[in-house]
Amino acid sequence: MRHAAAFAACLLPLIADGAWAQAAQKAPATVTVYRCTNAAGKVSLQDAPCAKGQGQQSREMLRPVDAPARPAVPAPPPVAPSAPAPPPRTVYLAPPRPMYECITPEGKRYTSDDGRGNPRWVPLWTLGYPAVRPHSVLGDNIGHPDKVVRPPHRDVNWPVATGGGTWVRDDCAMLPPREACARLRDRRSELRTRFFNAQEKERDALRGEERDINARLDNDCGGR
């Protein structure tokens, strides 16, 4: 018991010194600044007492403390090199193909890509020429003023046993581009409607025609 009391008496000063040192570390340190003035009136500031013969003023000030170091800013990740731009593409578009609307003598309308119209064979008399027979030649009207002079046999396309005639084509007119595109889309709708009831061979033909229409819409009409 006596030894324990002696040990505690020895330990108390050590504890007290440690507490004072810890308090001293936490308390802000001060510094004395001396303001010295010499005989010429020049003023200087220093941390030591002024020399003899100089006027002296002192002041306690907090010791400057360095600011805490800033945390290191991580370096930005390296920027991956951008992929080179692809070379420019050159697209060649064919000029829009014209579309024509043709009319038969019966008033039926249909479209054509070349504007020539369907050909048909007609007798010459339907075009206003008088009816003639193949054996008529120039000079037959001599002595017969009521006869009309006919062209020679070699100048007329005489069909066999049918009388004179010629080939004529239906009248056609070019459609405006917007109307042509509308006709193409209408035709594609007709093909798709027929496709469901068509036989396999006809379906192959319908598929091919629809591909042609789609390609033409992409090129001539700016899309489908």
Side-chain angles (χ1 to χ4, degrees):
M1 192 71 180
R2 190 181 302 171
H3 293 288
F7 177 77
C10 295
L11 189 60
L12 286 175
L14 296 177
I15 295 175
D17 291 341
W20 179 87
Q22 186 176 4
Q25 291 178 356
K26 292 184 178 180
T30 59
V31 63
T32 303
V33 178
Y34 296 92
R35 184 174 185 275
C36 305
T37 306
N38 60 13
K42 184 177 180 180
V43 178
S44 61
L45 298 177
Q46 57 190 40
D47 58 354
C50 302
K52 292 182 179 182
Q54 293 183 348
Q56 175 177 294
Q57 293 179 352
S58 62
R59 178 175 298 178
E60 295 290 329
M61 300 180 64
L62 293 176
R63 183 181 298 276
V65 179
D66 295 337
R70 293 184 179 180
V73 179
V79 179
S82 58
R89 296 177 55 192
T90 303
V91 179
Y92 297 94
L93 296 178
R97 293 165 51 188
M99 180 180 289
Y100 300 84
E101 183 181 59
C102 305
I103 306 177
T104 66
E106 296 79 16
K108 183 179 179 180
R109 297 175 182 270
Y110 61 93
T111 58
S112 171
D113 290 336
D114 54 16
R116 299 180 62 187
N118 293 332
R120 66 182 186 279
W121 179 267
V122 297
L124 288 177
W125 64 266
T126 61
L127 303 178
Y129 293 96
V132 296
R133 294 182 179 276
H135 66 271
S136 298
V137 295
L138 292 176
D140 283 355
N141 64 333
I142 298 176
H144 301 279
D146 57 325
K147 288 188 176 181
V148 180
V149 177
R150 307 297 196 265
H153 177 78
R154 64 179 181 276
D155 295 337
V156 179
N157 187 9
W158 300 103
V160 178
T162 59
T166 186
W167 290 99
V168 296
R169 294 181 179 273
D170 298 332
D171 294 331
C172 300
M174 189 171 67
L175 294 171
R178 181 175 298 179
E179 179 64 21
C181 294
R183 298 289 182 93
L184 290 172
R185 294 186 176 95
D186 291 343
R187 176 58 181 169
R188 184 178 59 183
S189 298
E190 295 176 3
L191 296 179
R192 292 176 176 176
T193 301
R194 288 175 50 189
F195 185 85
F196 294 101
N197 299 324
Q199 300 294 328
E200 189 60 32
K201 290 184 178 180
E202 186 181 3
R203 286 185 175 185
D204 293 338
L206 295 177
R207 290 189 189 98
E209 186 176 354
E210 183 173 351
R211 282 195 299 268
D212 294 340
I213 291 177
N214 289 334
R216 188 167 177 179
L217 288 172
D218 290 338
N219 183 78
D220 299 353
C221 304
R224 304 180 188 183

